[in-house]
């Protein structure tokens, strides 16, 4: 019986370590909503094994995994928790999506700054 317990403990520890590795590597690939869903699932699994896992670590890791144009705006707001960070990220993504993107040529920039 003692051998079975140590095998289960080792499996559990290995699984927890794998979840932590995934946690520190996860990045936004698609939409913020999809990233949030994957991130939330991962965090729930980690918290099931370690209920005292730091809220600050969770929040900062979420922000670090965001795409740069979204991450920069979220960082300015210095969110205290994942709910706030994810709300800001979702709003920023919506804002970016609503602004038509176009390339600005060097001549356009130069012409705008002539005296």
């Amino acid at each position: 019986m003692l051998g079975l317990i140590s095998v289960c403990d080792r499996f559990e520890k290995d699984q927890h370590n794998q979840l932590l590795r995934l946690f520190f590597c996860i990045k936004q690939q698609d939409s913020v909503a999809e990233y949030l869903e994957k991130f939330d699932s991962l965090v729930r699994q980690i918290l099931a094994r370690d209920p005292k896992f730091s809220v600050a670590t969770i929040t900062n890791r979420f922000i670090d995994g965001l795409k740069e144009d979204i991450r920069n705006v979220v960082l300015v707001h210095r969110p205290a928790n994942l709910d706030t960070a994810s709300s800001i990220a979702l709003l920023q993504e919506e804002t970016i999506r609503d602004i038509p993107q176009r390339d600005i040529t060097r001549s356009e920039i130069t012409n705008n700054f002539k005296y």
Side-chain angles (χ1 to χ4, degrees):
M1 184 71 174
L2 184 59
L4 180 60
I5 292 173
S6 64
V7 168
C8 289
D9 288 345
R10 183 178 178 129
F11 176 76
E12 187 69 24
K13 186 178 275 190
D14 288 346
Q15 192 173 24
H16 183 67
N17 286 335
Q18 183 178 2
L19 289 170
L20 288 175
R21 281 192 301 278
L22 291 172
F23 174 80
F24 286 106
C25 293
I26 191 169
K27 297 262 186 207
Q28 179 189 356
Q29 301 296 321
D30 300 308
S31 71
V32 171
E34 289 169 327
Y35 170 58
L36 179 58
E37 186 178 321
K38 291 174 187 173
F39 189 86
D40 184 60
S41 173
L42 193 54
V43 168
R44 287 179 190 272
Q45 292 177 62
I46 291 170
L47 288 173
R49 290 164 177 79
D50 182 4
K52 294 182 181 179
F53 197 69
S54 168
V55 172
T57 301
I58 292 168
T59 303
N60 284 303
R61 182 61 207 115
F62 173 79
I63 294 168
D64 288 345
L66 290 167
K67 291 180 179 176
E68 185 178 4
D69 54 345
I70 296 172
R71 178 178 57 240
N72 292 338
V73 171
V74 175
L75 280 171
V76 170
H77 291 278
R78 301 176 63 194
N81 56 49
L82 181 59
D83 287 339
T84 304
S86 61
S87 293
I88 296 167
L90 288 163
L91 287 170
Q92 177 60 17
E93 180 181 58
E94 186 177 317
T95 301
I96 291 170
R97 191 176 47 234
D98 290 345
I99 297 173
Q101 301 293 320
R102 74 178 189 94
D103 292 328
I104 300 174
T105 65
R106 185 173 176 85
S107 63
E108 288 176 306
I109 294 170
T110 306
N111 289 337
N112 288 334
F113 292 105
K114 287 188 175 176
Y115 293 97

